[in-house]
Amino acid sequence: MPSADVIITNAKVFTSDESSPYAEAVAVKGNRIVYVGTDEGAESFKDKSTRVIDGQGHTLTPGFIDTHVHLLWGSIWMGSAQLQEVRTKEDLKNVLTDFANKNKTDQWIVGRGIRYSIVSTRQELDEINEDRPIYIGAFDGHTGWANTKALEMAGILQDDKREMANGIIVRDENGFATGELREGDAMRAVMDLAPVPDSNRKRELLKLAIEKFNATGITSVHNMNGDMEELMAYAALEDSGEMNLRVYVPYHVKPEATEEMLTEAGEMAKVQMDYVRGGAAKFFMDGVWESYTAFNVHPYADDPDVKVEPIFSLEHFTRMASLCDKMGLQVAVHCCGDGAVRQALDGYEAIQKINGRRDSRHRVEHIEVCQPEDMPRFKELGVIASMQTSHAPFSLEEDLVWTKRTGPQRWPISFPWRDLKNAGAHLSLGSDWTVAPFDPMINIYVALNRKKYAPSDPDQRLTLEECILGYTRDAAYVEFMEHEKGQIKEGYLADLVLFSHDLFEVNPEEITTAKAVMTMVDGRIVFE
Ligand SMILES: [Zn+2]
């Protein structure tokens, strides 16, 4: 009998393993699970050097896998003014002024995470500070606002007729930028001028973010954008033995990308370390409902005149994604609008005809609205629904622009977790941090408790069991790692999380009172 390094006893083990869903004890040797069963059975793995952790009757699950985050971006965000809690112009002024005073030597004032409809013009930001350039980004990363100084520095205050593949500089009737910048290229015109932290500072911020992920029970993430440089930043942490999070990094295929540029995605796929792996390509089919950039089937409820073009035409997407598919890469596409979801599915269908069907596990990210006739196509095509429950407005009372843009006609098919699951879609869960908080309990809270927007809407909520599976077993499947992690099973990687409660005994409305108390990655306790 091998002696274990760690034994966790007296726990309510939820294994995510269908053949044996519950247990009391788990034994770990090195980086693997060597035993799952009863307290008594675990005894025989004990010797004098074994550490025994009393689970106190609380839930132990496989480590959580967040299938959609922006880790390095997010880490860098953490070095700027945090605007998530800002609700009024006054709040914004206070936070930015405070940040400016604390960072006197920085020329720029950069803030992140603001909600929509708090500011919309450069003049409002000029009132906060007109001498230093200001750039603030929306919580979803799809819109930014800049003051006059920043727009001048970027050379875009007055109409310069520049072409943008993916971006809109909103202008007034005289051709002056209003301060609102929609989507990547427009935001980057300003944002890229603000100095980025140097590589040492980046590394520190990244380690700090990983520590915070571990503290909520997250042991793996899918970093839903990236390139070789970003992959190498993670790999450097693994090389120096400082990596405490498994990171799967797709290559971001931008609309202007050439076919030759996909070679980088192929090179990334060759990186298969213990913690850091490539193997996928990420596309954006559209933007977001909030900024009228979601590609929809029917007109916007609050402005029927808005016409949106997808970022990739069907032909363009199919051509680029089929090349990725041919290279054996997994493809993931950001789709918030129902038109985008449909076009991604059309593309995947076309790719199967071009390259033949294989175990590709291509995925659609977000799926904020999905037409009923498209729901069964996920199962038919073997496409994964990767969803982030905190994106859904919790209730109509929140009075978010999202529910206004979509309108009551679409609410029954909005964030359709239950309907997609019923239609046989493989569902995985995540946060889309920094768009939403990464703490799984916050995302699970929304999944368990979200209110209907209209009384006649179907109930789209998930059960706690489905949430845990969506964050563990079903998330591991999404990255082709279902035989290595995502379940508490003998021989599997020892990625585990022990909670402060028996989660199944907690009132769903109070689920956020439960916290991770011990997180293990690769057999090492990284948080306690
Ligand atoms: Zn995202």
Side-chain angles (χ1 to χ4, degrees):
M1 203 65 73
S3 62
D5 299 321
V6 180
I7 295 175
I8 302 149
T9 58
N10 185 30
K12 293 260 170 62
V13 184
F14 181 88
T15 63
S16 295
D17 172 8
E18 227 152 42
S19 65
S20 176
Y22 306 103
E24 286 176 338
V26 175
V28 171
K29 168 103 182 141
N31 68 341
R32 298 277 165 180
I33 295 165
V34 290
Y35 173 79
V36 186
T38 60
D39 289 345
E40 216 179 8
E43 273 296 308
S44 53
F45 288 84
K46 201 159 100 186
D47 76 4
K48 51 187 182 314
S49 61
T50 303
R51 178 167 173 204
V52 180
I53 297 172
D54 178 2
Q56 299 179 357
H58 300 154
T59 302
L60 180 81
T61 67
F64 275 45
I65 302 166
D66 186 325
T67 60
H68 194 126
V69 302
H70 301 279
L71 184 59
L72 188 62
W73 281 3
S75 310
I76 294 169
W77 276 47
M78 284 166 58
S80 55
Q82 301 295 298
L83 308 179
Q84 291 87 337
E85 304 304 323
V86 165
R87 294 292 178 270
T88 63
K89 277 193 191 66
E90 201 49 39
D91 290 350
L92 179 65
K93 187 176 181 168
N94 292 338
V95 177
L96 290 185
T97 307
D98 188 45
F99 181 84
N101 290 338
K102 282 193 184 127
N103 297 281
K104 281 209 171 71
T105 55
D106 293 5
Q107 192 196 1
W108 280 74
I109 301 169
V110 178
R112 317 271 186 186
I114 197 164
R115 289 187 172 202
Y116 284 82
S117 64
I118 292 171
V119 286
S120 54
T121 67
R122 61 188 160 91
Q123 289 86 355
E124 290 165 294
L125 292 172
D126 292 344
E127 278 169 32
I128 295 171
N129 196 319
E130 55 180 2
D131 303 324
R132 283 163 77 176
I134 300 180
Y135 173 83
I136 59 171
F139 73 93
D140 60 8
H142 286 269
T143 303
W145 294 269
N147 68 353
T148 306
K149 177 92 183 171
L151 294 165
E152 269 171 350
M153 286 171 69
I156 57 171
L157 180 60
Q158 285 171 58
D159 198 355
D160 65 348
K161 307 273 188 303
R162 74 176 69 183
E163 293 272 331
M164 283 183 174
N166 175 33
I168 299 166
I169 297 167
V170 180
R171 297 193 177 278
D172 64 20
E173 59 275 13
N174 300 318
F176 280 94
T178 63
E180 182 171 337
L181 306 164
R182 292 182 186 162
E183 297 298 328
D185 292 344
M187 297 187 296
R188 273 192 295 273
V190 172
M191 207 165 60
D192 283 354
L193 300 177
V196 288
D198 64 22
S199 57
N200 279 337
R201 174 81 180 132
K202 255 191 211 167
R203 195 184 169 99
E204 286 318 305
L205 287 166
L206 189 56
K207 279 164 70 178
L208 192 71
I210 291 171
E211 224 176 276
K212 293 188 174 182
F213 272 78
N214 289 157
T216 65
I218 297 172
T219 55
S220 296
V221 298
H222 298 185
N223 185 80
M224 269 301 138
N225 62 284
D227 51 23
M228 188 55 107
E229 190 185 341
E230 184 160 346
L231 186 85
M232 285 299 132
Y234 301 129
L237 276 187
E238 178 166 350
D239 283 337
S240 61
E242 295 172 283
M243 193 46 139
N244 291 336
L245 190 69
R246 302 187 199 275
V247 190
Y248 180 54
V249 194
Y251 171 76
H252 179 188
V253 182
K254 300 199 172 96
E256 65 272 22
T258 60
E259 295 179 6
E260 292 72 50
M261 284 160 82
L262 298 178
T263 326
E264 187 169 339
E267 289 302 312
M268 288 169 71
K270 291 182 193 154
V271 179
Q272 297 293 327
M273 302 165 75
D274 289 340
Y275 289 80
V276 182
R277 299 164 52 232
K282 163 83 186 289
F283 292 74
F284 278 83
M285 193 66 85
D286 68 347
V288 295
W289 287 92
E290 284 88 345
S291 68
Y292 296 106
T293 50
F295 179 47
N296 43 11
V297 173
H298 303 293
Y300 279 84
D302 61 346
D303 192 348
D305 295 331
V306 176
K307 289 268 176 300
V308 180
E309 288 298 321
I311 295 171
F312 283 83
S313 68
L314 178 59
E315 181 278 323
H316 188 193
F317 173 69
T318 306
R319 181 160 46 83
M320 297 301 279
S322 73
L323 287 170
C324 295
D325 179 75
K326 213 177 215 156
M327 293 163 75
L329 301 173
Q330 179 185 48
V331 177
V333 200
H334 165 119
C335 299
C336 283
D338 45 358
V341 173
R342 177 169 292 172
Q343 184 159 293
L345 293 168
D346 289 347
Y348 288 145
E349 199 177 311
I351 290 167
Q352 285 187 2
K353 292 200 180 104
I354 299 166
N355 293 343
R357 193 174 175 129
R358 64 180 184 95
D359 183 12
S360 55
R361 306 186 196 180
H362 295 324
R363 42 200 281 184
V364 182
E365 306 298 310
H366 311 317
I367 321 172
E368 297 194 345
V369 180
C370 185
Q371 290 297 325
E373 57 268 45
D374 291 322
M375 292 181 188
R377 300 177 71 199
F378 282 84
K379 183 174 183 215
E380 284 158 24
L381 297 165
V383 170
I384 284 152
S386 166
M387 300 176 83
Q388 302 77 31
T389 54
S390 281
H391 283 187
F394 185 75
S395 72
L396 213 53
E397 275 99 82
E398 276 196 308
D399 195 30
L400 297 173
V401 293
W402 198 93
T403 38
K404 299 184 177 79
R405 304 273 190 273
T406 49
Q409 302 286 347
R410 289 188 190 87
W411 294 345
I413 51 167
S414 293
F415 302 99
W417 315 316
R418 168 63 48 211
D419 286 350
L420 278 165
K421 238 183 149 31
N422 287 351
H426 184 103
L427 181 70
S428 75
L429 298 178
S431 64
D432 202 7
W433 184 68
T434 58
V435 177
F438 52 74
D439 184 346
M441 285 304 139
I442 295 176
N443 292 286
I444 290 176
Y445 171 82
V446 180
L448 300 177
N449 297 296
R450 171 187 155 195
K451 304 280 183 273
K452 295 176 179 184
Y453 307 144
S456 57
D457 286 353
D459 189 348
Q460 300 288 1
R461 289 178 300 170
L462 298 171
T463 65
L464 177 60
E465 190 171 312
E466 288 169 332
C467 289
I468 298 175
L469 290 173
Y471 261 114
T472 56
R473 183 195 68 188
D474 297 346
Y477 173 87
V478 175
E479 52 169 303
F480 299 88
M481 288 290 277
E482 71 274 23
H483 299 300
E484 285 285 321
K485 64 181 186 183
Q487 297 176 54
I488 299 181
K489 215 170 168 170
E490 281 161 35
Y492 273 52
L493 288 168
D495 293 357
L496 302 168
V497 51
L498 179 66
F499 288 93
S500 57
H501 293 69
D502 176 347
L503 299 180
F504 291 90
E505 291 297 318
V506 179
N507 177 342
E509 284 166 20
E510 282 154 18
I511 196 76
T512 53
T513 58
K515 307 270 178 238
V517 293
M518 187 280 294
T519 307
M520 182 184 276
V521 179
D522 213 39
R524 293 178 298 117
I525 294 172
V526 295
F527 166 74
E528 195 163 26

